[in-house]
Amino acid sequence: MRRTASLAVVAFGLLLFGCNPDTKNGTNQNPSNPGGGPKDVKIGFIVKSMADSWFQSETSFAKEKAKELGAELIVQEALNGNAVLTTIDSMATNGCQGIIICSPEVQLGSAIKAAAARHDMKLMSVDDRLVGGDGKPLTDIPHLGIDAYNIGKQVGQAIVDEMGRRGWKPDEVAGLAITAPALETARQRVNGAKEVLLANGFRESNIFEAPWTGSVDIAAASDAANGVLTARSHFRKWVVFSSNDDGVLGGIRAISNRGIPATGIIGVGINGALAAAEWAKGTPTGMVASVLLQPRVHGADTVEMMYRWITEGKEPPKETYTTGTIIDKNNYKEALKKQGLSLP
């Protein structure tokens, strides 16, 4: 009886408020049935940058899954912490019962958790894990992310393998690590790659970190790399690694601008989309490989997990991690098709 009464209250609330997202700020995945019964589900999906190819793919798969389930999905970009909190309030007003989030400021985890709880909305993080004021992960919030450290190790091994094919000696090679120190998953990716390099004879004194500041994009990564390169112009062979393709491509651009050809650069990224676009140009590039991630899982699976949580009370696992596959200019087309991703 209690469950029946609760469902009736939910149904009344949905009828009263609806969701009514506009086309600018959200995507109505079920406009033909806007809130007429207790099984209607409205989910918010907040990402930190829709300009990023990863989030474009991730949310596209999320929308597909929502449509398949008959749920309504609102996708919203939030570029900073204030925008996140405002968006949560807006989604609550629009009747959303749960939120999936990749926050631009993970350190606001406690505030995000409190905002969701205030509106009695279920909360799940994706990609970047939310942390509390003490900098520790909020392990009570279900999270789906990537196996960052092991993916970083894949990057390191791909670099080592390419160095072997080229006959490069570790003591004559410099390593450029474009880092995002504030983001735990980014640190794990870089540290995983670094561990493999060191285990294969790379000199730790030859690895130089270039922290990103401001926008985490190719241009900012290139700017960060320039500070490292200026003081190390005697190196003519470079390996480049980072937390994603953007960082690696920024490093490659900066090295290339100093007259070092593609044959003197080994860059291995993470994500795969930008690397694929680079190879599609058909011109020589220092980007030799990337770890292709699984945006379909991050988008579709999180939506289904949230849907089951709302409709069946089945809470998602506290931790779910995905892996990646090494791709290069020879196999990227087949790999992208297999993942359901568009070719560049």
Side-chain angles (χ1 to χ4, degrees):
M1 289 295 292
R2 287 185 179 180
R3 177 173 176 80
T4 302
S6 296
L7 289 174
V9 170
V10 171
F12 177 76
L14 292 175
L15 281 167
L16 181 62
F17 294 108
C19 200
N20 300 323
D22 59 43
T23 56
K24 179 179 180 181
N25 292 328
T27 302
N28 187 341
Q29 289 300 123
N30 191 15
S32 63
N33 187 18
K39 291 187 178 180
D40 290 337
V41 175
K42 300 178 178 66
I43 299 170
F45 203 118
I46 302 173
V47 298
K48 59 185 177 181
S49 174
M50 282 304 294
D52 190 303
S53 60
W54 168 262
F55 294 114
Q56 292 168 13
S57 297
E58 181 181 67
T59 56
S60 176
F61 290 125
K63 292 172 185 177
E64 287 180 7
K65 177 57 67 173
K67 184 175 182 179
E68 175 188 320
L69 294 169
E72 184 176 316
L73 186 72
I74 303 173
V75 174
Q76 177 65 53
E77 175 189 73
L79 298 175
N80 55 55
N82 288 335
V84 166
L85 298 178
T86 299
T87 300
I88 291 174
D89 290 341
S90 175
M91 287 180 170
T93 300
N94 285 331
C96 295
Q97 302 119 308
I99 286 179
I100 301 161
I101 184 170
C102 180
S103 174
E105 298 178 29
V106 294
Q107 67 273 20
L108 292 178
S110 296
I112 292 169
K113 177 182 175 181
R118 184 170 65 252
H119 296 298
D120 195 27
M121 290 192 296
K122 302 184 187 305
L123 176 66
M124 180 178 184
S125 59
V126 66
D127 305 330
D128 299 342
R129 193 162 199 177
L130 297 172
V131 300
D134 58 1
K136 295 181 180 179
L138 296 179
T139 56
D140 58 333
I141 298 174
H143 174 70
L144 191 151
I146 73 165
D147 188 355
Y149 192 71
N150 283 322
I151 284 175
K153 292 177 72 173
Q154 286 180 273
V155 169
Q157 190 59 54
I159 292 173
V160 168
D161 292 345
E162 183 64 20
M163 286 177 60
R165 283 189 286 270
R166 297 188 187 188
W168 285 13
K169 298 178 180 179
D171 59 355
E172 64 183 15
V173 182
L176 175 62
I178 308 292
T179 64
L183 198 58
E184 176 63 22
T185 183
R187 293 197 300 270
Q188 290 179 2
R189 299 177 204 188
V190 169
N191 288 340
K194 184 177 178 180
E195 178 183 291
V196 173
L197 291 178
L198 295 177
N200 284 273
F202 212 97
R203 289 185 179 181
E204 187 164 13
S205 59
N206 282 6
I207 297 177
F208 309 103
E209 293 192 4
W212 261 329
T213 57
S215 300
V216 184
D217 55 24
I218 294 175
S222 184
D223 290 341
N226 283 326
V228 168
L229 299 172
T230 298
R232 282 95 185 178
S233 59
H234 56 289
F235 285 106
R236 304 303 294 174
K237 295 177 181 177
W238 286 87
V239 301
V240 187
F241 53 102
S242 183
S243 55
N244 59 22
D245 285 352
D246 304 65
V248 173
L249 283 172
I252 290 171
R253 299 282 191 273
I255 295 169
S256 299
N257 288 339
R258 292 172 182 268
I260 296 177
T263 53
I265 307 170
I266 297 174
V268 177
I270 296 175
N271 185 359
L274 292 181
E278 185 81 350
W279 298 322
K281 296 176 184 177
T283 55
T285 175
M287 178 70 86
V288 301
S290 183
V291 181
L292 181 64
L293 301 182
Q294 302 182 59
R296 179 187 294 277
V297 173
H298 287 239
D301 285 21
T302 52
V303 166
E304 182 157 9
M305 287 176 181
M306 182 60 74
Y307 179 87
R308 301 301 174 196
W309 195 3
I310 293 168
T311 60
E312 302 171 11
K314 183 179 179 180
E315 183 176 348
K318 296 300 185 186
E319 294 183 335
T320 304
Y321 294 103
T322 61
T323 57
T325 304
I326 289 288
I327 59 172
D328 57 31
K329 65 180 180 181
N330 297 313
N331 70 356
Y332 77 93
K333 292 181 180 180
E334 180 181 354
L336 263 62
K337 286 182 180 178
K338 187 175 181 179
Q339 288 269 12
L341 297 168
S342 300
L343 294 174

